[in-house]
Amino acid sequence: MTTSIDCDKPFNHKKQGSNKVIVIGLDSADPNLVEHWMEEGRLPFLKSLVSQGIMARVSSIASGFSDAPWLSFYTGVRPGKHGCYNFLEMNRESREIFRTNATLCPFPPFWSLLRSTEKKVGIFDVPKTYPIEGLDGIQISAWGEEYPLIKACSLPKNLLAEITSRFGRYEHPREILNPRLIFQQVRRYRKLMSAIKQKLKAVKFVMSQENSWDLFMTSFGEAHYANHLFYHLWDRSHWAYNSELGNKLGEALPNIYSKLDSAVKTLLEDVPEDVTVLIVSVHGVSTNYSANHLMPEILEKLGFQANVGSQSSDSKLSSNTLLQSLRDFVPMPIRDFINDWIVPQSFHDKSHSQQFISSIDWHNTRAFFLPLGHFQAFVSINLKGRDPYGTVEPEDYQQICREITDELKCLVNPDTGKPAVHDVIQISEILEGERLYQLPDLIIKWAEDVPINKLHHPKFGLISGEYYGLRKTQHTGNGFVIAKGKHINQGIDISNIRAIDLPPTILYLMGQPIPEYMEGRVLFELISNNLKTNSKA
């Protein structure tokens, strides 16, 4: 059970400035793609904003924890402090795998600090957030957010119903990992193009509810959806590129980015010159090469993870064989339909958790694979004093981390003859904080050259297995910020911006105090000397 931070205690909230800020998130919009398409003339409005201000890269921890960047963006702290890193996480006490959401984050969004400041706040679909009581303004969460983890809600409560009544229910496109018919992808493309228009109308309506917002924030999730659905049809070098689909939908991804460019232009066309505008993406996209499906067997063969044998009882073997026979009898398309549309997500999650817990012999396991993500592999040490059946003494922690790292770096992909593991990151060496214990201990980053269906290790030889559900793209830690306004230093070259630097910078722009718990810094080099505030770090 996490505890909340009392963010009101150290501050004296007084209205200190009239600087107004608009933040538009382009969720998962990749900086390389944005720069490329700006040069091609596909994103004319974003390019015009850059010419009037600046564009800079923003780094986040998305390449390790794909669901952490937005939480770090709006809290100003990293996962070691807020403890949230993935849409699925493991409860250390029970070992249960659960589907997380922003309400479990112990640090509130930075705009909660604007309570009792006479600031008008509008928040619409900022990813991984929920409405905060006590703010003067409007908040809507999870209406058109990319794969929201909570039910749509708002403050005032009746606003959500009005939004839905006026603009309809936002239809979230399901990702088809292995589409069999072109029309399945064409429908999703058309749905996303229509969703951008729908979202634009809804955001304009919310913006019109106040003549002069002090802080207005919204995001568009369509680039995120599009990256997963269409990136491999735009990039002809992608391992999953399909010429038939590519000829039909190769322009889907840039077209969606272009549509978002037009939407941003429409939102900002009547914004006064004295308003600071930030266009933000806290992570990008790249090809996915994950071999997570082979990790349990790898750790078992290396002697770290003891898996419960399938021959533990005749009745269990018979039951599993019958169940597998029944599954094999049902054609894959029908099984996919049943799993996606009939069986509730809660059932999938519970089954996944139970299978994980029951598949491991905890008393004989030193380290285990956490089946939580689509991209990088998470490994946790079975540590005494932290884990319920811990077997590793705390003084041996560093040694076993080094041992696992060394062994995994010996893995070779026979298809290339090269190392299959690009890097092994020990979390405690890059993060710190009171909730570090909630995180995995190691992140395995796979080599990014070809899909990994076979692995060879000097100690156990060859293992193989193709994963049917491999997603085509993963997240990178490369995002960007485009900033424009009279308080922005136009045309400067700025680097080393982190996602956690944006909350204190926005608070500073608004003339507000910066809480001590925030790990980010105010980007003073971004801000012109004409800004006068009383903010103190």
Side-chain angles (χ1 to χ4, degrees):
M1 187 77 170
T2 57
T3 57
S4 297
I5 302 298
D6 184 2
C7 294
D8 292 325
K9 186 176 180 181
F11 310 117
N12 177 23
H13 282 308
K14 294 181 180 179
K15 190 170 184 178
Q16 299 184 39
S18 59
N19 308 312
K20 303 179 187 302
V21 180
I22 291 179
V23 182
I24 300 177
L26 298 180
D27 187 11
S28 192
D30 185 83
N32 293 322
L33 296 180
V34 168
E35 290 177 349
H36 175 67
W37 289 326
M38 281 197 301
E39 288 304 308
E40 286 192 346
R42 293 175 183 260
L43 309 177
F45 185 70
L46 291 184
K47 188 173 183 178
S48 73
L49 289 180
V50 175
S51 68
Q52 300 170 61
I54 67 104
M55 179 175 179
R57 295 296 178 103
V58 172
S59 65
S60 71
I61 202 166
S63 59
F65 296 140
S66 61
D67 285 289
W70 278 109
L71 285 101
S72 293
F73 161 75
Y74 69 70
T75 61
V77 302
R78 295 177 293 179
K81 292 188 72 169
H82 62 61
C84 304
Y85 61 96
N86 202 60
F87 73 100
L88 291 178
E89 297 181 7
M90 183 190 71
N91 184 313
R92 282 285 179 195
E93 296 178 0
S94 66
R95 293 165 295 143
E96 291 180 331
I97 292 176
F98 65 95
R99 191 168 291 263
T100 188
N101 64 71
T103 64
L104 302 177
C105 181
F107 291 85
F110 70 85
W111 52 85
S112 69
L113 305 174
L114 300 176
R115 284 176 292 205
S116 305
T117 63
E118 302 178 29
K119 300 285 188 183
K120 284 282 187 180
V121 177
I123 308 294
F124 190 0
D125 271 346
V126 177
K128 320 295 182 188
T129 62
Y130 58 97
I132 303 292
E133 296 281 354
L135 283 170
D136 185 7
I138 287 173
Q139 299 172 77
I140 306 167
S141 295
W143 181 75
E145 174 192 342
E146 189 267 347
Y147 292 123
L149 297 177
I150 62 172
K151 290 184 177 180
C153 50
S154 69
L155 285 176
K157 292 184 178 179
N158 62 349
L159 180 60
L160 178 66
E162 183 174 2
I163 293 290
T164 304
S165 174
R166 285 175 176 267
F167 308 106
R169 185 176 64 86
Y170 188 98
E171 294 187 35
H172 300 273
R174 288 177 178 263
E175 182 178 355
I176 303 178
L177 294 174
N178 297 285
R180 295 172 179 82
L181 300 171
I182 290 179
F183 89 89
Q184 294 176 300
Q185 293 294 75
V186 172
R187 278 177 51 189
R188 279 151 181 78
Y189 168 59
R190 291 173 178 169
K191 181 179 289 188
L192 283 175
M193 294 292 276
S194 176
I196 295 173
K197 293 173 59 177
Q198 181 188 22
K199 181 65 175 287
L200 174 61
K201 291 177 181 178
V203 176
K204 287 190 68 175
F205 170 76
V206 173
M207 289 183 76
S208 71
Q209 302 308 297
E210 170 64 38
N211 290 328
S212 183
W213 295 102
D214 292 289
L215 173 66
F216 189 89
M217 295 183 63
T218 190
S219 79
F220 288 81
E222 290 78 18
H224 195 148
Y225 283 119
N227 287 339
H228 288 309
L229 288 169
F230 304 119
Y231 180 86
H232 67 288
L233 301 179
W234 172 79
D235 181 2
R236 291 174 176 267
S237 66
H238 195 287
W239 56 263
Y241 179 78
N242 177 292
S243 59
E244 184 180 8
L245 281 171
N247 290 336
K248 186 77 174 179
L249 291 166
E251 290 293 295
L253 187 63
N255 286 348
I256 287 169
Y257 273 63
S258 295
K259 190 79 170 179
L260 288 169
D261 180 78
S262 298
V264 173
K265 178 182 179 181
T266 301
L267 285 181
L268 298 179
E269 58 188 359
D270 295 324
V271 171
E273 288 295 319
D274 62 344
V275 174
T276 300
V277 173
L278 302 177
I279 311 297
V280 175
S281 173
V282 292
H283 54 81
V285 64
S286 67
T287 303
N288 184 26
Y289 296 97
S290 172
N292 288 359
H293 59 292
L294 299 174
M295 278 301 298
E297 186 177 358
I298 292 169
L299 291 180
E300 181 182 35
K301 288 184 176 296
L302 291 174
F304 296 110
Q305 178 172 317
N307 296 326
V308 175
S310 60
Q311 304 287 339
S312 57
S313 70
D314 292 339
S315 61
K316 181 177 179 180
L317 178 62
S318 175
S319 175
N320 288 343
T321 302
L322 177 60
L323 184 60
Q324 183 63 49
S325 298
L326 289 173
R327 279 202 299 261
D328 292 342
F329 180 74
V330 180
M332 185 65 74
I334 297 177
R335 283 159 56 185
D336 287 345
F337 178 83
I338 293 172
N339 285 326
D340 290 343
W341 298 97
I342 297 178
V343 180
Q345 185 63 60
S346 58
F347 179 84
H348 286 300
D349 290 347
K350 186 175 181 179
S351 298
H352 182 56
S353 179
Q354 289 177 341
Q355 181 181 9
F356 164 69
I357 294 173
S358 63
S359 66
I360 297 176
D361 178 359
W362 297 98
H363 296 285
N364 293 297
T365 288
R366 293 186 295 156
F368 54 94
F369 170 66
L370 285 166
L372 306 179
H374 304 286
F375 315 125
Q376 296 74 32
F378 299 140
V379 173
S380 185
I381 308 302
N382 197 19
L383 191 63
K384 283 187 178 180
R386 182 187 67 177
D387 296 285
Y389 301 105
T391 60
V392 175
E393 298 290 346
E395 57 266 30
D396 297 328
Y397 176 82
Q398 292 293 342
Q399 175 58 36
I400 193 170
C401 285
R402 286 193 294 268
E403 186 180 346
I404 294 171
T405 298
D406 292 343
E407 294 289 5
L408 292 177
K409 287 186 175 181
C410 291
L411 289 168
V412 171
N413 185 348
D415 290 335
T416 64
K418 299 178 181 179
V421 172
H422 170 69
D423 198 9
V424 179
I425 300 172
Q426 185 175 328
I427 298 303
S428 60
E429 293 184 350
I430 64 170
L431 294 175
E432 59 183 11
E434 57 270 29
R435 288 172 179 80
L436 194 63
Y437 73 95
Q438 294 178 204
L439 309 181
D441 295 296
L442 300 171
I443 299 177
I444 290 82
K445 301 182 73 172
W446 300 102
E448 298 182 354
D449 42 21
V450 300
I452 304 171
N453 299 312
K454 301 174 186 176
L455 287 170
H456 184 274
H457 192 282
K459 288 187 176 179
F460 59 72
L462 183 70
I463 63 171
S464 62
E466 189 170 354
Y467 180 47
Y468 170 77
L470 183 64
R471 298 179 76 180
K472 309 299 189 299
T473 52
Q474 64 177 336
H475 297 297
T476 71
N478 300 316
F480 67 89
V481 60
I482 297 173
K484 175 249 181 188
K486 71 175 185 178
H487 300 309
I488 299 299
N489 279 326
Q490 182 178 352
I492 64 166
D493 186 10
I494 181 172
S495 59
N496 300 320
I497 297 178
R498 302 167 298 173
I500 57 174
D501 296 329
L502 296 175
T505 301
I506 294 171
L507 289 171
Y508 183 87
L509 285 165
M510 298 184 68
Q512 298 301 302
I514 314 302
E516 293 182 0
Y517 68 77
M518 284 190 176
E519 296 179 285
R521 67 181 182 91
V522 176
L523 299 168
F524 289 109
E525 61 270 46
L526 179 71
I527 301 169
S528 62
N529 293 329
N530 63 16
L531 176 61
K532 306 296 183 183
T533 75
N534 296 318
S535 294
K536 295 181 180 180

